[in-house]
Amino acid sequence: MINNEVTVNKGVENAEKQLQQAKNRLTQEKKKANDARRRIENRHKYMMGGVVHKYFPECYSFEEDEMNEILKTALATQECKKVISDIKFRATHPQSKNEESEVTG
């Protein structure tokens, strides 16, 4: 009877140890995924800022609310909306991109 209790306790201890190790692995994997997501988001933010600076170099002299007002107005124009719509269409219909190249080329 005593041997059985010792075996059960060792089994419980091993299971608890494995559970803790699994929790630690899960935490590490979540951290890796979060770091990767954050790197991608930061890279995209830098790219967006670079594009704004490229076409609007004086943007550094404006406050955030002024930049919001400028971009809101610019993005609301029909011309900008059409360009955005065309880009979204090309992204969802990649075969159209090839057809357009053949027509214009």
Side-chain angles (χ1 to χ4, degrees), residues 20-38:
Q20 187 59 44
Q21 290 172 342
K23 285 180 180 179
N24 291 341
R25 284 193 307 272
L26 177 62
T27 301
Q28 289 300 320
E29 290 302 319
K30 284 183 176 181
K31 186 174 186 253
K32 284 181 190 176
N34 194 32
D35 289 345
R37 179 192 52 81
R38 196 168 34 251

Side-chain angles (χ1 to χ4, degrees), residues 3-98:
N3 288 340
N4 190 24
E5 289 179 18
V6 171
T7 305
V8 170
N9 288 340
K10 286 184 180 179
V12 170
E13 287 175 9
N14 286 338
E16 287 176 345
K17 183 179 178 182
Q18 289 174 352
L19 176 63
Q20 187 59 44
Q21 290 172 342
K23 285 180 180 179
N24 291 341
R25 284 193 307 272
L26 177 62
T27 301
Q28 289 300 320
E29 290 302 319
K30 284 183 176 181
K31 186 174 186 253
K32 284 181 190 176
N34 194 32
D35 289 345
R37 179 192 52 81
R38 196 168 34 251
R39 271 194 309 278
I40 291 168
E41 287 176 353
N42 286 342
R43 199 173 310 131
H44 193 255
K45 288 175 188 177
Y46 297 145
M47 179 272 304
M48 291 174 59
V51 169
V52 169
H53 181 259
K54 178 179 179 180
Y55 294 102
F56 187 42
E58 60 271 5
C59 66
Y60 286 115
S61 63
F62 293 98
E63 298 290 329
E64 181 180 358
D65 59 331
E66 295 167 333
M67 286 297 299
N68 285 333
E69 185 179 350
I70 292 166
L71 291 174
K72 180 181 175 184
T73 303
L75 292 170
T77 64
Q78 285 304 109
E79 183 180 1
C80 187
K81 286 181 180 180
K82 177 160 180 13
V83 170
I84 292 169
S85 175
D86 291 347
I87 291 170
K88 285 181 178 178
F89 180 81
R90 287 193 313 248
T92 57
H93 299 83
Q95 71 278 2
S96 298
K97 190 184 293 185
N98 293 336

